[in-house]
Structures are given as structure tokens and as C-alpha cells.
Amino acid sequence: MDSQQGLQLPPDFFYHRLPNGLEMIGQYMPSLRSVTFGFQLDAAVIHEPEDKSGLAHLFEYMLFQGTKEKDARTLNEAFESLGARKGTSTSLETTQVWAQIVNTRLDATLDLFHEVLLMPTFPRDELEQMRNIILQEIRRRDDEPMSRIFDLARLHFYAGSALGRPIYGTAEDVRALQQEDLLAFWQERYRPNNALLSIAGNFDWERVVAKIERLFSDWQGAASPSPEQHPRPSNTIVLEHQEGKQEHLGLMVPFPNYTHPDYYAAQIIGEALGGNMASRLFVEVREKRGLVYSVSAGLSSNKAIGSLRIYAGTTPEQGHECLAVILNELRRLREEGLTEDELERARVQLKSEHIMRSEGSGARMSANARSWWYERRLRTPHEVKEAIDSVTAEQVMRVLQEFSPLQPLTVAAIGPLSREELIGDLLPLS
């Protein structure tokens, strides 16, 4: 399929595929004067060699540090002269290289991206500087339990897969990474059959297609398929002892992911449980009992599995009671579901957040890329609103029956409490 012929696309949405495999999707937003585009690739944490953790994150920093035609300073000056905001974001499964500009500067910015993606040099002098930045990030992460509590939880929740790897990597691995590792990663993963260009804003689609064909039709090669991930979450308790006056709790349990037909019902559950100041956990754990300084819940998703994540920051003196109340709320949720009032409040909150996000080209570019990458479809903001509105109490109960919020449950904790002091007889888990 080299055009949108035969695809059922909403108005103002576009699709094109180049012969080399590079796919393009677009959403025309005529009320804007800006454009945001991003190249999304299967080039992330799960694609790192096992002994090279942190490679994808270092690559993210190094990609804009020079090309065959421009050194780092000249390249950054070129972007600044266009008024372009640019960046790279690496997740467990994908990486996105993006830019946001005034629509009249789109062609010139795409020229620069052609250099960045197809002619990077990863210079050794810049490598040492970027390596030091990441080592500082790792030290900061290790010094902040709130920042690493879900690294600890993910490691055990995603047992049996690469999804539990730390995004920053380990200090030992990052110190050992070399220019050759970056070049090998680029040569293996940055290939057109592995790439999606998503663009949103005020643009001429035919002109964008023509420009991309001129710049990227010679991009050749094929990346190997992304490795399948098969995590095996189980009932797990993992404690990291750290003296201090805080106890950090991170809970994870399997839940619907992006592609699941009940994903929006799962979002409603997460919002009602811990997504706002009227949520169950905020009211029961913080307002009524004063057990935490912070508590929240939300969804995390990837291709293999989704999860419901709960965070609580408390004191050692209140840690056991805090966990007991959270577990009780999860039992009550499993048994009773949500009230109509909770359902409606969660709907309103999610729709408000969605509407605010959908007004910008950056959010739409990312949302469209995610939808196409995982579902091979493009959802309009109206479709998402309808999906949220259509969630019923019965659907919520069906989700909670299929995905128990208590089984299989990963409980991670960082703080001074022992297993007996924190858990006691709350969880007969191994």
C-alpha cells in the first residue's frame, strides 16, 4: 500500500508508504500555524544487547551531536535559526525523534532531520560529555527512591523479558559504551522498514510526501524484527532496605493495554482509583487517614502487557497501615466496581485531559503515532471521547473480573522497614 487508497481514514487524516518501507501518517489541523513531526522507530531499551544497558538512552543524547556535514555546534545553531524545538524520547519499546516548528520552516527542518537520521557521526569528544550527563542521571536516580521505585517494581513485574531493564542503564555498562556500539545500534535499528513518520498541524500533505520521498527514498536496509517479549508477572514482594524517614511503595498488576478492547474502561478505573484529588486512594489514604504525602494510580502499557501502577510515599511508622488501606481499596474495587458518580467524574476528567491534549500538534502527533504503531488505525479526538463516554459500570466489572487488581500483584518497597514490619500477614505472597 503506497497511498491511502483502500484505507478507511477519517477526514483530514492521511497515510503514505514509501517503497523502502518508511510509513507516513498525518493529521491536518488548519487552525494552527505550527507543525510537529516525529520519526518513531523500533530502537529502544528492549533492543539493547544484554551487556549494554543504557545504550538506547545514550544514543538519544548522541544523535544530535553531529553529522557528516555539521558538528554539534553548527547543527544546533541550524535548528535554532529555524526556531525549531527538537528532541528524542526513548521508551522501553520505541524511540521518537521529533521537532516542532512554524509551518513555514517545515522543509528546512526536514532537511536537517535527513542529516541527523541518515548521517550521524557520534563523535568521541561529545560522547564523553554525554556519558557524564547520563552517569549524573544515574546517581540522581539512585539517590531518589521515588525515582527508582518503579525500576525496582518493573524488574520483577516483567520477569522473563527485557521490559524490566532500567532505561538509564547501569553505571558500569554506561562507562563501557563506545562509539562503535552507537554506530552498530544505528546500523541495525535505524532502517526505513522500522520507521514511522507522524506529522500533525498545518501542512500540505502532497508537498510533505514529495519532500519525504526526495529526502528518504534512498534510505535502504532492513532492521531485524523487534524481539517478542513474554513477561511472566507473579505474586512478588521485593524490598530494598534504605535507612531514612520515608517508605516508598510501588504496586503493579496486569491490566488492559492499548490494544485491548476494554482499554478505555481500564483508564476510567485508573482515574477513579488514583488519578485525581477526588479519587478513592487520595480520599481514603490521604484525606481521611493522613497516611501519605503522595498517592496516585494510573496505567502503563506496552505491546505485550498493560499494568495498573500505584505509588504511595509514606513514613515508616505508617507504612504497614498505608499498604493495608491500599489493599483493602483494591479488594473493594474488585468486589464492587465503581459507582455511577465515580464513573461520571472519571469520564469528565479523562475527556477534559484528552481535549486539552488534542488542541496541540505535538500531542496529536504522538497520539497518532502510538495508535498506528500498536493498532494500525488512526483515532480522531471525537472517537476517543465517544469511547470514554461509552464505558459502563458493567464493562468496568467485566474488566475487574478478567484483570483482578490483586492477582498477580507485585509489591516493591524502598525504605527502612523489614518485610515483617511492612507486610506482616497482609499478603501471603512469595
Side-chain angles (χ1 to χ4, degrees):
M1 177 72 66
D2 60 3
S3 72
Q4 63 199 67
Q5 183 179 1
L7 291 177
Q8 297 298 315
L9 296 178
D12 293 331
F13 283 77
F14 307 96
Y15 172 83
H16 183 76
R17 183 180 181 275
L18 273 64
N20 61 6
L22 173 62
E23 292 187 294
M24 301 172 57
I25 56 172
Q27 180 183 351
Y28 177 55
M29 304 172 74
S31 63
L32 303 183
R33 295 185 61 192
S34 68
V35 174
T36 304
F37 67 85
F39 286 83
Q40 186 157 301
L41 299 105
D42 263 329
V45 173
I46 64 170
H47 305 98
E48 298 169 340
E50 217 167 292
D51 60 343
K52 299 185 186 300
S53 70
L55 175 59
H57 187 56
L58 178 61
F59 190 99
E60 168 186 338
Y61 277 77
M62 288 298 298
L63 192 58
F64 285 100
Q65 298 307 311
T67 70
K68 291 180 180 178
E69 297 182 1
K70 296 179 178 67
D71 61 19
R73 181 176 178 180
T74 305
L75 183 62
N76 283 322
E77 287 175 350
F79 278 108
E80 288 176 3
S81 71
L82 297 172
R85 295 177 56 208
K86 61 174 172 53
T88 309
S89 58
T90 300
S91 68
L92 296 174
E93 295 182 306
T94 62
T95 288
Q96 194 175 87
V97 190
W98 60 270
Q100 186 173 54
I101 63 279
V102 176
N103 60 352
T104 55
R105 305 292 178 88
L106 175 59
D107 281 7
T109 308
L110 286 170
D111 288 334
L112 292 177
F113 264 63
H114 172 260
E115 282 189 46
V116 167
L117 293 173
L118 272 61
M119 294 183 282
T121 54
F122 312 111
R124 285 190 171 89
D125 53 343
E126 302 292 342
L127 172 58
E128 294 311 313
Q129 182 180 347
M130 295 302 111
R131 188 200 314 276
N132 287 332
I133 290 174
I134 292 177
L135 290 172
Q136 290 173 19
E137 288 180 335
I138 291 173
R139 285 193 291 271
R140 187 163 60 247
R141 176 199 66 192
D142 291 346
D143 289 341
E144 297 175 355
M146 186 184 297
S147 299
R148 72 173 191 277
I149 184 65
F150 280 106
D151 279 355
L152 182 62
R154 281 195 302 107
L155 178 64
H156 294 269
F157 180 82
Y158 292 122
S161 77
L163 294 166
R165 294 176 182 171
I167 291 178
Y168 291 171
T170 66
E172 180 183 7
D173 283 355
V174 169
R175 288 192 186 99
L177 293 173
Q178 300 299 321
Q179 182 189 48
E180 292 74 21
D181 299 317
L182 296 164
L183 285 166
F185 191 71
W186 171 70
Q187 289 167 348
E188 164 62 22
R189 303 310 310 170
Y190 276 64
R191 291 291 173 248
N193 73 313
N194 196 35
L196 169 71
L197 170 62
S198 176
I199 182 169
N202 194 331
F203 58 83
D204 182 319
W205 176 250
E206 296 302 326
R207 180 173 174 175
V208 171
V209 169
K211 178 72 174 179
I212 294 298
E213 287 182 335
R214 284 197 300 274
L215 290 176
F216 291 98
S217 60
D218 290 337
W219 191 10
Q220 296 301 320
S224 60
S226 191
E228 292 289 330
Q229 303 299 310
H230 302 287
R232 298 184 299 274
S234 60
N235 289 330
T236 305
I237 299 169
V238 54
L239 276 65
E240 182 181 304
H241 185 81
Q242 178 173 304
E243 291 298 332
K245 298 180 179 179
Q246 296 178 334
E247 188 77 22
H248 299 269
L249 306 178
L251 285 68
M252 294 182 70
V253 67
F255 232 53
N257 66 357
Y258 296 135
T259 60
H260 195 281
D262 290 323
Y263 176 66
Y264 290 102
Q267 279 201 312
I268 290 281
I269 295 168
E271 184 70 24
L273 180 64
N276 57 71
M277 294 176 66
S279 65
R280 285 191 182 183
L281 291 180
F282 192 91
V283 171
E284 295 295 330
V285 184
R286 179 169 170 162
E287 284 197 344
K288 287 186 178 180
R289 296 172 176 85
L291 295 174
V292 296
Y293 53 86
S294 177
V295 64
S296 61
L299 268 59
S300 177
S301 182
N302 54 62
K303 186 177 181 181
I305 189 174
S307 68
L308 175 66
R309 304 186 355 166
I310 299 169
Y311 169 77
T314 184
T315 63
E317 296 77 14
Q318 296 174 311
H320 178 80
E321 184 182 357
C322 174
L323 180 58
V325 174
I326 291 172
L327 293 174
N328 187 61
E329 287 306 310
L330 292 178
R331 290 188 188 96
R332 187 162 72 93
L333 178 66
R334 180 185 62 187
E335 294 164 6
E336 301 174 8
L338 301 177
T339 67
E340 283 298 333
D341 183 55
E342 287 176 316
L343 195 57
E344 183 56 28
R345 283 204 310 268
R347 283 197 201 102
V348 170
Q349 187 69 28
L350 284 177
K351 285 189 295 184
S352 297
E353 293 171 2
H354 175 70
I355 289 169
M356 287 185 282
R357 286 197 303 266
S358 67
E359 291 176 348
S361 61
R364 290 309 306 162
M365 180 277 290
S366 293
N368 293 336
R370 184 183 73 179
S371 182
W372 189 263
W373 196 267
Y374 290 102
E375 301 180 275
R376 301 294 296 178
R377 63 172 295 182
L378 295 172
R379 294 179 183 270
T380 67
H382 181 69
E383 283 182 274
V384 174
K385 176 182 175 295
E386 286 188 330
I388 294 170
D389 274 332
S390 69
V391 174
T392 63
E394 292 75 21
Q395 187 182 8
V396 166
M397 284 304 301
R398 186 173 73 240
V399 170
L400 294 169
Q401 288 165 4
E402 182 181 353
F403 295 88
S404 166
L406 288 164
Q407 293 286 340
L409 179 64
T410 296
V411 178
I414 300 176
L417 294 182
S418 68
R419 178 185 173 118
E420 178 60 31
E421 289 169 327
L422 177 64
I423 307 295
D425 60 357
L426 293 178
L427 291 168
L429 306 181
S430 57

